[in-house]
Amino acid sequence: MIGLISATAAGAAARDRLAAAWPDRTRVYEGPAGEAVRAAFAECDRLVCFLATGATVRLLAPLLGDKAADPGVVCVDEGGRFAVSLVGGHGGGANELAYEVAGLLGAEPVVTTATDAVGLAGLDALGLPVEGAVAAVSRALLDGEPVALEAELAWPLPPVPFAEQGAYTVRLTDRAVQPGPDEVLLRPPSLVVGVGASKGAPVEEVRGLIAEALREAGLSERSVAELATVDAKSEEPGIVAAAERLGVPLVTYPADELAAVAVPNPSGAPLAAVGTPSVAEAAALRQGGELLVPKRKSASKPAMATCAVVRRPGRGRLAVVGLGPGARDLLTPRAAAELRRASVLVGLDQYVDQIRDLIRPGTVVLESGLGAEEERARTAVAEARKGHAVALIGSGDAGVYAMASPALAEASDDIDVTGVPGVTAALAAGAILGAPLGHDHVSISLSDLHTPWEVIERRVRAAAEADIVVTFYNPRSRGRDWQLPKALAVLAEHREPGTPVGVVRNASRPDESARLTTLAGLDPATVDMMTVVTVGNTATRNIAGRMVTPRGYRWQHAPEGAG
């Protein structure tokens, strides 16, 4: 929960904007600022104070304790010009919140954390538990000193400029080891603990068994991702409390699913009790992985708890990112966040150039030229399968004539995939032209490199006969100069010569150009691959120089003054 505190009318107005935008994330604290800050500090994960920084610092000073546990605090000035990450930049989430608040209020985010200021991902902001010499190793990264990564298992980390060797080390491990003097340990959530328990098993017995199993196997509790058990034990108090004490979720599976999991130590007792010959081992292995600790029982007589530990491999992550039509302000915040998150970026060289300033230090950039779409898709999937966090970029929306289709055709269920939508060229061009897509519309690519012309022509004819607005992608190139005239001729069989046609080149970019013509007046020679052509339907009109397709037809023919 985000606590909101203000002291003036202007501050309250900005505060209320946040509260309205985030009704489920925020709580407004009324009354004197000092009392409000103290209450919010005790009850909330983060705070936004619409106060002067000096006043906020004085109010916070007596409350600050441990930066790992204190809430993050963002301070917004009286004029709403700046959103300052004041304390708890990484651990408290204030840096991220400052960007969110600034985006919503139209303010400038102010983040002074050293790593963030130079675009580095902070070691304590990688999303993993961290131990050791965080300050010293972070300083080494900032100073450009070599810091080596020793990854004992593959995990999709954000980009950090690691070296092959160095006096400083970051070690990714789930083993129970102590960090060296110039070392940071990152704890991936790689361990799954399967648990079984008799009815009424004490939490101390369940929790003690888990701790003992991890300790004897040399594994860190901080890498436990979840406890897993059978559905029948989903409300067993000892198991539920053990998960709460570990601070991890409890995941349950139906007995028939667990019965289908091959395990080394099946037993008749759980089969009779809950319908599966294994609970602990089967639940731990249900999502795959390496069995590190076979089923073991607690020491009590009779034993009331069992557990098993599995190391689940890190799954690589592929984000297919649409960059929009080209203008930076049409690149979505989600797309920008995925670019910052990716340790490997794959894309067409000219698209990489568009966002090169957003790429964090340490990101591996794999770029190639035109015509290598399938190769880029294969490369991105292969890098994700190695356990990396990968961003595969495309223009517009990555799912529209772009990289999502070849990438998802290549990917299987061994990696996580997320799609990030973008503003398409058709939408950008439509906004420039007016409202040509106000009713049913279709996009058709005229490139016959991958689709036979007979198929393309059949689709154009179907759109013409159905009286649907058509936007042509890839309309004309040096080697393909006859397809656009042919497509226009098909449309002309069903539409009047004066049908409005919008032509937009490089929509949203500095050299953008747009013009409104007609079906009879369009000269195909003025069109190239950087252009989208939108042909209206029989209802589309040129109104004050804007291309408009009404949402419906009935109103056009209604008597004047009719509703």
Side-chain angles (χ1 to χ4, degrees):
M1 186 62 65
I2 303 171
L4 305 180
I5 300 102
S6 62
T8 66
R15 175 203 68 192
D16 291 345
R17 287 175 61 189
L18 286 189
W22 301 334
D24 299 327
R25 299 175 59 193
T26 56
R27 180 185 304 162
V28 173
Y29 286 80
E30 303 280 5
E35 295 177 10
V37 167
R38 285 191 293 273
F41 195 89
E43 297 170 357
C44 296
D45 301 313
R46 291 176 289 176
L47 280 66
V48 180
C49 297
F50 296 88
L51 307 166
T53 53
T56 307
V57 167
R58 292 181 183 280
L59 293 173
L60 288 174
L63 307 176
L64 297 176
D66 182 352
K67 74 172 188 176
D70 289 342
V73 180
V74 171
C75 197
V76 179
D77 67 290
E78 182 76 2
R81 296 172 299 166
F82 304 103
V84 182
S85 174
L86 197 61
V87 296
H90 285 163
N95 290 354
E96 179 184 356
L97 182 59
Y99 285 107
E100 288 189 86
V101 170
L104 190 60
L105 299 180
E108 182 75 20
V110 179
V111 175
T112 58
T113 307
T115 50
D116 292 62
V118 297
L120 283 174
L123 296 176
D124 55 351
L126 299 181
L128 302 179
V130 59
E131 304 170 22
V134 176
V137 176
S138 296
R139 187 165 53 249
L141 287 168
L142 288 167
D143 291 343
E145 298 184 47
V147 176
L149 173 65
E150 296 181 3
E152 297 180 2
L153 62 165
W155 209 264
L157 293 174
V160 179
F162 292 121
E164 292 186 6
Q165 294 182 328
Y168 298 88
T169 305
V170 173
R171 185 162 24 152
L172 182 75
T173 181
D174 57 16
R175 295 187 300 111
V177 294
Q178 295 298 314
D182 295 316
E183 184 176 55
V184 165
L185 302 182
L186 294 178
R187 300 295 191 184
S190 56
L191 304 178
V192 178
V193 180
V195 181
S198 302
K199 184 175 178 60
V203 61
E204 291 77 12
E205 184 168 343
V206 177
R207 182 70 181 84
L209 173 63
I210 295 170
E212 180 183 355
L214 293 170
R215 183 173 58 253
E216 292 186 3
L219 299 171
S220 172
E221 279 194 359
R222 302 193 75 185
S223 281
V224 175
E226 63 190 43
L227 297 194
T229 190
V230 66
D231 278 352
K233 297 295 180 180
S234 62
E235 297 182 1
E236 184 63 43
I239 295 178
V240 172
E244 291 175 350
R245 291 188 185 183
L246 276 168
V248 299
L250 176 62
V251 178
T252 66
Y253 300 101
D256 58 345
E257 289 188 14
L258 297 186
V261 178
V263 297
N265 299 294
S267 171
L271 180 61
V274 294
T276 172
S278 172
V279 173
E281 287 181 339
L285 286 165
R286 176 62 182 82
Q287 299 296 332
E290 175 189 5
L291 185 63
L292 302 180
V293 179
K295 182 181 74 174
R296 59 186 295 164
K297 298 180 180 180
S298 55
S300 66
K301 302 296 183 181
M304 299 187 72
T306 60
C307 83
V309 182
V310 163
R311 176 182 286 139
R312 190 179 294 173
R315 288 172 62 87
R317 185 175 187 277
L318 174 62
V320 188
V321 181
L323 300 180
R328 178 55 58 85
D329 60 353
L330 293 182
L331 175 74
T332 68
R334 187 180 301 181
E338 289 293 349
L339 297 178
R340 292 194 298 269
R341 178 175 181 171
S343 61
V344 178
L345 187 141
V346 182
L348 178 68
D349 47 14
Q350 64 189 53
Y351 297 152
V352 173
D353 287 341
Q354 288 181 24
I355 47 85
R356 201 174 293 275
D357 62 303
L358 298 179
I359 300 173
R360 273 181 157 169
T363 304
V364 176
V365 179
L366 304 176
E367 52 189 306
S368 52
L370 287 168
E373 288 84 0
E374 293 180 357
E375 177 187 344
R376 283 194 291 276
R378 286 193 294 268
T379 297
V381 172
E383 291 296 320
R385 285 184 175 139
K386 294 176 184 177
H388 298 308
V390 181
L392 175 62
I393 62 173
S395 66
D397 183 285
V400 180
Y401 303 123
M403 295 305 302
S405 293
L408 298 190
E410 187 75 22
S412 53
D413 63 359
D414 57 344
I415 60 174
D416 295 326
V417 178
T418 185
V420 181
V423 178
T424 67
L427 294 178
I432 294 165
L433 294 170
L437 310 182
H439 206 284
D440 296 335
H441 55 275
V442 63
S443 295
I444 299 177
S445 171
L446 293 184
S447 171
D448 56 0
L449 295 177
H450 300 289
T451 305
W453 173 253
E454 293 76 15
V455 174
I456 297 172
E457 184 176 356
R458 187 165 67 245
R459 293 170 179 171
V460 173
R461 191 170 301 279
E465 293 173 351
D467 196 26
I468 296 176
V469 175
V470 182
T471 296
F472 290 124
Y473 278 71
N474 306 312
R476 184 176 181 273
S477 68
R478 292 178 183 176
R480 294 185 302 100
D481 58 1
W482 58 267
Q483 287 89 343
L484 178 59
K486 178 64 176 174
L488 295 174
V490 171
L491 290 175
E493 295 174 14
H494 300 270
R495 301 183 192 179
E496 296 295 328
T499 299
V501 175
V503 181
V504 180
R505 188 177 190 278
N506 283 333
S508 85
R509 301 183 184 185
D511 55 347
E512 166 192 299
S513 63
R515 68 183 188 278
L516 190 56
T517 181
T518 63
L519 188 56
L522 174 61
D523 179 4
T526 63
V527 173
D528 62 14
M529 286 290 285
M530 305 305 292
T531 307
V532 290
V533 177
T534 300
V535 182
N537 65 13
T538 56
T540 304
R541 297 288 182 267
N542 181 336
I543 301 176
R546 303 180 184 93
M547 188 175 178
V548 180
T549 303
R551 291 182 61 189
Y553 297 103
R554 287 181 298 177
W555 67 269
Q556 291 178 283
H557 307 293
E560 188 171 342

